[in-house]
Coordinates of all heavy atoms in Angstrom, one line a residue:
M1 N 124.0 152.8 122.8 CA 123.8 151.7 123.7 C 122.6 152.1 124.6 O 122.4 153.2 125.1 CB 125.0 151.5 124.6 CG 125.0 150.3 125.4 SD 126.5 149.9 126.2 CE 127.5 149.7 124.8
S2 N 121.7 151.1 124.9 CA 120.5 151.3 125.7 C 120.9 151.3 127.2 O 121.9 150.8 127.6 CB 119.5 150.2 125.4 OG 120.0 148.9 125.8
N3 N 120.0 151.8 128.0 CA 120.2 151.9 129.4 C 120.1 150.5 130.0 O 119.4 149.6 129.5 CB 119.1 152.7 130.1 CG 119.3 154.2 129.8 OD1 120.4 154.6 129.4 ND2 118.2 154.9 129.9
F4 N 120.8 150.2 131.1 CA 120.8 148.9 131.7 C 119.6 149.0 132.7 O 119.5 149.7 133.6 CB 122.1 148.7 132.5 CG 122.3 147.3 133.0 CD1 122.6 146.3 132.0 CD2 122.2 147.0 134.3 CE1 122.8 145.0 132.5 CE2 122.4 145.7 134.7 CZ 122.7 144.7 133.8
C5 N 118.6 148.1 132.4 CA 117.4 148.1 133.2 C 117.1 146.7 133.8 O 118.0 145.8 133.6 CB 116.2 148.6 132.3 SG 115.9 147.5 131.0
L6 N 116.0 146.6 134.4 CA 115.7 145.3 135.1 C 115.6 144.2 134.1 O 116.1 143.1 134.3 CB 114.4 145.4 135.9 CG 113.9 144.3 136.7 CD1 114.9 144.0 137.8 CD2 112.6 144.5 137.3
N7 N 115.0 144.4 132.9 CA 114.9 143.4 131.9 C 116.3 143.0 131.4 O 116.5 141.8 131.1 CB 114.0 143.8 130.8 CG 112.5 143.8 131.2 OD1 112.1 143.1 132.2 ND2 111.7 144.6 130.6
S8 N 117.1 143.9 131.2 CA 118.5 143.7 130.7 C 119.3 142.8 131.7 O 120.0 141.9 131.4 CB 119.3 145.0 130.4 OG 118.6 145.7 129.4
A9 N 119.1 143.2 133.0 CA 119.8 142.5 134.1 C 119.4 141.0 134.2 O 120.2 140.2 134.4 CB 119.6 143.2 135.4
K10 N 118.1 140.8 133.9 CA 117.6 139.4 134.0 C 118.2 138.5 133.0 O 118.4 137.3 133.3 CB 116.1 139.4 133.8 CG 115.3 139.9 135.0 CD 113.8 139.9 134.7 CE 113.0 140.4 135.9 NZ 111.6 140.4 135.6
T11 N 118.6 139.0 131.9 CA 119.3 138.2 130.8 C 120.7 137.7 131.2 O 121.2 136.7 130.7 CB 119.3 138.9 129.5 OG1 120.2 140.0 129.6 CG2 118.0 139.3 129.0
Y12 N 121.3 138.4 132.2 CA 122.7 138.1 132.6 C 122.7 137.3 133.9 O 123.8 136.9 134.3 CB 123.5 139.4 132.8 CG 123.8 140.1 131.5 CD1 123.2 141.2 131.1 CD2 124.8 139.5 130.6 CE1 123.5 141.9 130.0 CE2 125.1 140.2 129.5 CZ 124.4 141.4 129.1 OH 124.7 142.0 128.0
I13 N 121.6 137.0 134.5 CA 121.6 136.2 135.8 C 122.2 134.8 135.5 O 121.8 134.1 134.5 CB 120.2 136.1 136.4 CG1 119.7 137.5 136.8 CG2 120.2 135.2 137.6 CD1 120.5 138.1 137.8
G14 N 123.1 134.4 136.3 CA 123.8 133.1 136.1 C 125.0 133.1 135.2 O 125.5 132.0 134.9
K15 N 125.4 134.3 134.7 CA 126.5 134.4 133.8 C 127.6 135.2 134.4 O 127.4 136.0 135.3 CB 126.0 135.0 132.5 CG 125.0 134.2 131.8 CD 124.5 134.8 130.5 CE 123.5 134.0 129.9 NZ 122.9 134.6 128.7
N16 N 128.8 135.0 133.9 CA 129.9 135.8 134.3 C 130.0 137.1 133.4 O 129.9 137.0 132.1 CB 131.2 135.1 134.1 CG 131.4 134.0 135.2 OD1 130.4 133.6 135.8 ND2 132.6 133.6 135.4
V17 N 130.2 138.2 134.0 CA 130.2 139.5 133.3 C 131.2 140.5 133.9 O 131.7 140.3 135.0 CB 128.8 140.2 133.3 CG1 127.7 139.3 132.6 CG2 128.4 140.5 134.7
N18 N 131.5 141.5 133.1 CA 132.2 142.7 133.6 C 131.1 143.8 133.8 O 130.4 144.0 132.8 CB 133.3 143.2 132.7 CG 134.4 142.3 132.6 OD1 134.7 141.5 133.5 ND2 135.2 142.4 131.5
L19 N 131.0 144.4 135.0 CA 130.0 145.4 135.2 C 130.7 146.8 135.0 O 131.6 147.1 135.7 CB 129.4 145.3 136.6 CG 128.6 144.1 136.9 CD1 128.2 144.1 138.4 CD2 127.4 144.0 136.0
H20 N 130.2 147.6 134.1 CA 130.7 148.9 133.9 C 129.7 149.9 134.6 O 128.6 149.9 134.3 CB 130.7 149.2 132.4 CG 131.7 148.3 131.6 ND1 132.9 148.8 131.3 CD2 131.6 147.1 131.1 CE1 133.6 147.8 130.7 NE2 132.8 146.8 130.6
L21 N 130.3 150.6 135.5 CA 129.5 151.5 136.3 C 129.4 152.9 135.7 O 130.2 153.3 134.9 CB 130.1 151.6 137.7 CG 130.2 150.3 138.4 CD1 130.8 150.5 139.8 CD2 129.0 149.5 138.5
K22 N 128.4 153.7 136.1 CA 128.2 155.0 135.5 C 129.4 156.0 135.9 O 129.6 157.0 135.2 CB 126.9 155.6 136.0 CG 125.7 154.9 135.3 CD 124.4 155.5 135.7 CE 123.3 154.8 135.0 NZ 122.0 155.3 135.3
D23 N 130.1 155.7 137.0 CA 131.2 156.6 137.3 C 132.5 156.3 136.6 O 133.5 156.9 136.8 CB 131.4 156.6 138.8 CG 131.8 155.3 139.4 OD1 131.9 154.3 138.6 OD2 132.1 155.2 140.6
G24 N 132.5 155.3 135.7 CA 133.6 154.9 134.9 C 134.4 153.7 135.5 O 135.3 153.2 134.8
A25 N 134.0 153.3 136.6 CA 134.7 152.1 137.2 C 134.2 150.8 136.6 O 133.1 150.8 136.0 CB 134.5 152.0 138.7
V26 N 135.0 149.7 136.7 CA 134.6 148.4 136.1 C 134.8 147.4 137.2 O 135.9 147.3 137.8 CB 135.4 148.1 134.9 CG1 135.0 146.7 134.3 CG2 135.3 149.1 133.8
I27 N 133.8 146.6 137.4 CA 133.9 145.5 138.3 C 134.1 144.2 137.4 O 133.3 143.9 136.6 CB 132.7 145.3 139.2 CG1 132.4 146.6 140.0 CG2 132.9 144.1 140.2 CD1 131.1 146.6 140.8
V28 N 135.3 143.6 137.5 CA 135.7 142.6 136.6 C 135.4 141.2 137.0 O 135.6 140.9 138.2 CB 137.3 142.8 136.3 CG1 137.8 141.8 135.3 CG2 137.6 144.2 135.9
N29 N 134.9 140.4 136.1 CA 134.7 139.0 136.2 C 133.9 138.6 137.5 O 134.4 138.0 138.4 CB 136.0 138.2 136.2 CG 135.8 136.7 136.0 OD1 134.8 136.3 135.7 ND2 136.9 136.0 136.3
V30 N 132.6 139.0 137.4 CA 131.7 138.6 138.5 C 130.6 137.7 138.0 O 130.3 137.7 136.8 CB 131.1 139.9 139.2 CG1 132.2 140.7 139.9 CG2 130.3 140.7 138.2
H31 N 130.1 136.9 138.9 CA 129.0 136.0 138.5 C 127.7 136.6 139.1 O 127.6 136.7 140.3 CB 129.3 134.6 139.1 CG 128.2 133.6 138.8 ND1 128.2 133.0 137.6 CD2 127.2 133.1 139.5 CE1 127.2 132.1 137.6 NE2 126.5 132.2 138.7
L32 N 126.8 136.9 138.3 CA 125.5 137.5 138.7 C 124.6 136.4 139.3 O 124.4 135.4 138.6 CB 124.8 138.3 137.6 CG 125.6 139.4 137.0 CD1 124.8 140.1 135.9 CD2 126.1 140.4 138.0
T33 N 124.1 136.6 140.5 CA 123.4 135.5 141.2 C 121.9 135.9 141.3 O 121.1 135.0 141.1 CB 123.9 135.3 142.6 OG1 123.9 136.5 143.3 CG2 125.3 134.7 142.5
A34 N 121.5 137.1 141.5 CA 120.1 137.4 141.7 C 119.8 138.9 141.6 O 120.8 139.7 141.7 CB 119.6 136.9 143.1
I35 N 118.5 139.3 141.5 CA 118.1 140.6 141.6 C 117.1 140.7 142.8 O 116.2 139.9 142.9 CB 117.4 141.1 140.3 CG1 118.3 141.0 139.1 CG2 116.8 142.5 140.5 CD1 117.6 141.2 137.8
K36 N 117.4 141.6 143.7 CA 116.6 141.7 144.9 C 116.1 143.1 145.1 O 116.7 144.1 144.6 CB 117.4 141.4 146.1 CG 118.0 140.0 146.0 CD 118.1 139.3 147.3 CE 118.6 137.9 147.1 NZ 118.5 137.1 148.2
K37 N 115.0 143.3 145.8 CA 114.4 144.6 146.1 C 115.1 145.0 147.4 O 115.4 144.3 148.3 CB 112.9 144.5 146.4 CG 112.1 144.4 145.2 CD 111.4 145.7 145.0 CE 110.4 145.5 143.9 NZ 110.3 146.7 143.1
A38 N 115.4 146.3 147.5 CA 116.0 146.9 148.7 C 115.0 146.9 149.8 O 113.7 146.9 149.5 CB 116.4 148.3 148.4
E39 N 115.4 146.8 151.0 CA 114.5 146.8 152.2 C 113.7 148.0 152.3 O 112.5 147.9 152.6 CB 115.3 146.6 153.4 CG 116.0 145.2 153.5 CD 117.0 145.1 154.7 OE1 117.0 146.0 155.5 OE2 117.7 144.1 154.7
M40 N 114.2 149.1 151.9 CA 113.5 150.4 152.0 C 113.5 151.0 150.6 O 114.5 151.1 150.0 CB 114.1 151.3 153.0 CG 114.1 150.8 154.4 SD 114.7 152.0 155.6 CE 113.4 153.2 155.6
G41 N 112.4 151.5 150.2 CA 112.3 152.2 148.9 C 112.0 151.2 147.7 O 111.7 150.1 147.9
K42 N 112.1 151.8 146.5 CA 111.8 151.0 145.3 C 113.1 150.6 144.6 O 113.0 150.2 143.4 CB 111.0 151.9 144.4 CG 109.7 152.3 145.0 CD 108.9 153.2 144.1 CE 107.6 153.7 144.8 NZ 106.9 154.6 143.9
M43 N 114.2 150.7 145.2 CA 115.5 150.4 144.5 C 115.7 148.9 144.3 O 115.4 148.1 145.2 CB 116.6 151.0 145.3 CG 117.9 150.9 144.6 SD 119.2 151.9 145.5 CE 119.0 151.4 147.2
N44 N 116.2 148.5 143.1 CA 116.5 147.1 142.9 C 118.0 147.0 143.1 O 118.8 147.9 142.7 CB 116.2 146.7 141.5 CG 114.7 146.6 141.3 OD1 114.0 146.1 142.1 ND2 114.2 147.1 140.1
L45 N 118.5 145.9 143.6 CA 119.9 145.6 143.9 C 120.3 144.4 143.1 O 119.5 143.4 143.0 CB 120.1 145.3 145.4 CG 119.8 146.4 146.3 CD1 119.9 145.9 147.8 CD2 120.7 147.6 146.1
L46 N 121.4 144.4 142.5 CA 122.0 143.3 141.7 C 123.0 142.6 142.6 O 123.9 143.2 143.1 CB 122.7 143.8 140.4 CG 123.1 142.8 139.4 CD1 121.9 142.0 138.9 CD2 123.8 143.5 138.3
E47 N 122.8 141.3 142.8 CA 123.6 140.5 143.7 C 124.6 139.8 142.9 O 124.3 139.2 141.9 CB 122.8 139.6 144.5 CG 123.5 138.9 145.6 CD 122.6 138.0 146.5 OE1 122.0 138.6 147.4 OE2 122.4 136.9 146.1
Y48 N 125.9 139.8 143.3 CA 126.9 139.1 142.5 C 128.0 138.5 143.5 O 128.1 138.9 144.6 CB 127.6 140.1 141.5 CG 128.4 141.2 142.1 CD1 129.7 141.1 142.4 CD2 127.7 142.4 142.4 CE1 130.4 142.1 143.0 CE2 128.4 143.5 143.0 CZ 129.8 143.3 143.2 OH 130.5 144.4 143.8
T49 N 128.8 137.6 142.9 CA 129.9 137.0 143.6 C 131.1 137.3 142.7 O 131.1 137.1 141.5 CB 129.8 135.5 144.0 OG1 129.6 134.8 142.7 CG2 128.6 135.3 144.9
S50 N 132.2 137.6 143.4 CA 133.4 137.8 142.6 C 134.2 136.5 142.6 O 134.0 135.6 143.4 CB 134.3 138.9 143.2 OG 134.6 138.7 144.5
F51 N 135.1 136.3 141.6 CA 135.9 135.1 141.4 C 136.7 134.9 142.6 O 137.5 135.7 143.1 CB 136.7 135.2 140.2 CG 137.5 134.0 139.9 CD1 136.9 132.9 139.4 CD2 138.9 134.0 140.1 CE1 137.6 131.7 139.1 CE2 139.6 132.8 139.8 CZ 139.0 131.7 139.4
G52 N 136.6 133.7 143.2 CA 137.4 133.3 144.4 C 136.9 133.8 145.7 O 137.5 133.6 146.7
N53 N 135.7 134.4 145.7 CA 135.1 134.9 146.9 C 133.8 134.3 147.1 O 132.9 134.3 146.2 CB 135.0 136.5 146.8 CG 134.6 137.1 148.1 OD1 134.4 136.4 149.1 ND2 134.4 138.4 148.1
S54 N 133.6 133.7 148.3 CA 132.3 133.0 148.5 C 131.2 134.0 149.0 O 130.0 133.6 148.9 CB 132.5 131.9 149.6 OG 133.0 132.5 150.8
G55 N 131.6 135.2 149.4 CA 130.5 136.1 149.9 C 129.8 136.8 148.7 O 130.4 136.9 147.6
R56 N 128.6 137.2 149.0 CA 127.8 137.9 147.9 C 127.8 139.4 148.3 O 127.6 139.8 149.4 CB 126.4 137.3 147.9 CG 126.4 135.9 147.4 CD 125.0 135.4 147.3 NE 125.1 134.0 146.7 CZ 124.1 133.2 146.7 NH1 122.9 133.6 147.1 NH2 124.2 132.0 146.2
E57 N 127.9 140.1 147.2 CA 127.8 141.6 147.3 C 126.7 142.1 146.5 O 126.2 141.5 145.6 CB 129.1 142.2 146.9 CG 130.3 141.7 147.7 CD 131.6 142.3 147.2 OE1 131.6 143.5 146.7 OE2 132.6 141.6 147.3
K58 N 126.2 143.3 146.9 CA 125.1 143.9 146.2 C 125.4 145.3 145.7 O 126.2 146.0 146.4 CB 123.9 144.0 147.1 CG 123.4 142.6 147.5 CD 122.3 142.8 148.6 CE 121.9 141.4 149.1 NZ 121.1 141.4 150.3
I59 N 124.9 145.7 144.6 CA 125.1 147.0 144.0 C 123.7 147.5 143.4 O 123.0 146.7 142.9 CB 126.2 147.0 142.9 CG1 126.5 148.4 142.5 CG2 125.8 146.1 141.7 CD1 127.8 148.5 141.7
P60 N 123.4 148.8 143.6 CA 122.1 149.3 143.1 C 122.1 149.2 141.5 O 123.1 149.5 140.9 CB 122.1 150.7 143.5 CG 123.0 150.8 144.7 CD 124.1 149.8 144.5
L61 N 121.0 148.8 141.0 CA 120.9 148.6 139.6 C 121.1 149.9 138.8 O 121.6 150.0 137.7 CB 119.6 148.0 139.2 CG 119.4 147.4 137.9 CD1 120.3 146.2 137.7 CD2 117.9 146.9 137.7
R62 N 120.7 151.0 139.4 CA 120.8 152.3 138.8 C 122.2 152.8 138.6 O 122.5 153.7 137.9 CB 120.0 153.3 139.5 CG 120.5 153.7 140.9 CD 119.7 154.8 141.5 NE 120.3 155.1 142.8 CZ 119.6 155.3 143.9 NH1 118.3 155.3 143.9 NH2 120.3 155.6 145.0
N63 N 123.2 152.2 139.4 CA 124.6 152.6 139.3 C 125.3 151.9 138.1 O 126.5 152.2 137.9 CB 125.3 152.3 140.6 CG 124.9 153.2 141.7 OD1 124.1 154.1 141.5 ND2 125.3 152.9 142.9
I64 N 124.7 151.0 137.4 CA 125.3 150.2 136.4 C 125.0 150.8 135.0 O 123.8 151.0 134.7 CB 124.9 148.8 136.4 CG1 125.3 148.2 137.8 CG2 125.5 148.0 135.3 CD1 124.7 146.8 138.0
E65 N 126.0 151.1 134.2 CA 125.8 151.6 132.9 C 125.5 150.5 131.9 O 124.5 150.5 131.2 CB 127.1 152.3 132.4 CG 127.0 152.9 131.0 CD 126.2 154.2 131.1 OE1 126.2 154.9 132.1 OE2 125.6 154.5 130.0
Y66 N 126.3 149.4 131.9 CA 126.0 148.2 131.1 C 126.9 147.0 131.6 O 127.8 147.2 132.4 CB 126.3 148.5 129.6 CG 127.7 148.7 129.2 CD1 128.5 147.7 128.7 CD2 128.3 150.0 129.3 CE1 129.8 147.9 128.3 CE2 129.5 150.2 128.9 CZ 130.3 149.2 128.4 OH 131.6 149.4 128.1
A67 N 126.5 145.9 131.2 CA 127.2 144.6 131.5 C 127.8 144.0 130.2 O 127.1 144.0 129.2 CB 126.3 143.6 132.2
E68 N 129.0 143.6 130.3 CA 129.7 143.0 129.2 C 129.8 141.5 129.5 O 130.5 141.1 130.4 CB 131.1 143.6 129.0 CG 131.9 143.0 127.9 CD 133.3 143.6 127.9 OE1 133.6 144.4 128.8 OE2 134.1 143.3 127.0
G69 N 129.2 140.7 128.7 CA 129.3 139.2 128.9 C 130.7 138.7 128.6 O 131.4 139.2 127.7
L70 N 131.1 137.7 129.3 CA 132.4 137.1 129.1 C 132.2 135.7 128.5 O 131.3 135.0 128.8 CB 133.1 136.9 130.5 CG 133.4 138.2 131.2 CD1 134.0 137.9 132.6 CD2 134.3 139.1 130.4
N71 N 133.2 135.3 127.7 CA 133.3 134.0 127.1 C 133.9 133.0 128.1 O 135.1 133.2 128.4 CB 134.0 134.1 125.8 CG 134.0 132.8 125.0 OD1 133.5 131.8 125.5 ND2 134.5 132.8 123.8
R72 N 133.2 132.1 128.6 CA 133.7 131.1 129.6 C 134.9 130.3 129.0 O 135.7 129.8 129.7 CB 132.6 130.3 130.1 CG 131.6 131.1 130.9 CD 130.8 130.3 131.8 NE 131.6 130.0 133.0 CZ 131.5 128.9 133.7 NH1 130.5 128.1 133.4 NH2 132.2 128.7 134.8
N73 N 134.9 130.0 127.7 CA 135.9 129.2 127.1 C 137.3 129.8 127.2 O 138.3 129.2 127.4 CB 135.6 128.9 125.6 CG 134.4 128.1 125.5 OD1 134.1 127.3 126.4 ND2 133.7 128.2 124.4
I74 N 137.3 131.2 127.2 CA 138.6 131.9 127.3 C 139.1 131.8 128.8 O 140.2 131.7 129.1 CB 138.5 133.3 126.8 CG1 138.2 133.3 125.3 CG2 139.7 134.1 127.1 CD1 137.9 134.6 124.7
L75 N 138.1 131.9 129.7 CA 138.5 132.0 131.1 C 139.0 130.7 131.7 O 139.8 130.6 132.6 CB 137.2 132.4 131.9 CG 136.7 133.8 131.7 CD1 135.4 134.0 132.5 CD2 137.7 134.8 132.0
I76 N 138.5 129.5 131.1 CA 138.9 128.2 131.6 C 140.4 127.9 131.2 O 141.1 127.3 131.9 CB 137.9 127.2 131.1 CG1 136.6 127.4 131.7 CG2 138.4 125.7 131.4 CD1 135.5 126.5 131.2
T77 N 140.8 128.3 130.0 CA 142.2 128.0 129.6 C 143.3 128.6 130.3 O 143.2 129.5 131.1 CB 142.3 128.3 128.1 OG1 142.1 129.7 127.9 CG2 141.4 127.5 127.3

């Protein structure tokens, strides 16, 4: 599996995914909204909203191992 990079992240913007982190944790069913530059440094942040939460959260792109796309047809039923 390839590394999760900026170009990979751009393909998932606007979609629901499960984010698998490098430490083994999984952030389940989030909607990716944007990619932003950190205020200090060269770090990119991935902005997402979780299901049922109106607030937006950010996570460094380098902490993500890969993203697993979700099928919206299964989630609606």
Side-chain angles (χ1 to χ4, degrees):
M1 188 172 296
S2 63
N3 291 337
F4 194 72
C5 62
L6 184 62
N7 289 335
S8 299
K10 286 180 182 179
T11 62
Y12 289 107
I13 296 297
K15 298 180 182 176
N16 287 19
V17 297
N18 290 339
L19 293 176
H20 295 263
L21 306 181
K22 289 185 179 179
D23 64 357
V26 179
I27 304 174
V28 180
N29 194 11
V30 295
H31 181 80
L32 300 184
T33 55
I35 299 172
K36 303 213 174 194
K37 283 253 187 217
E39 294 174 4
M40 298 184 70
K42 299 178 182 178
M43 187 170 47
N44 290 319
L45 300 172
L46 189 62
E47 188 175 273
Y48 65 91
T49 58
S50 57
F51 182 72
N53 188 0
S54 60
R56 293 185 177 169
E57 300 179 32
K58 297 175 186 166
I59 187 167
L61 197 60
R62 67 176 183 220
N63 290 352
I64 301 171
E65 184 73 31
Y66 66 97
E68 175 186 7
L70 298 176
N71 186 352
R72 296 199 76 209
N73 295 331
I74 294 173
L75 297 175
I76 293 173
T77 58

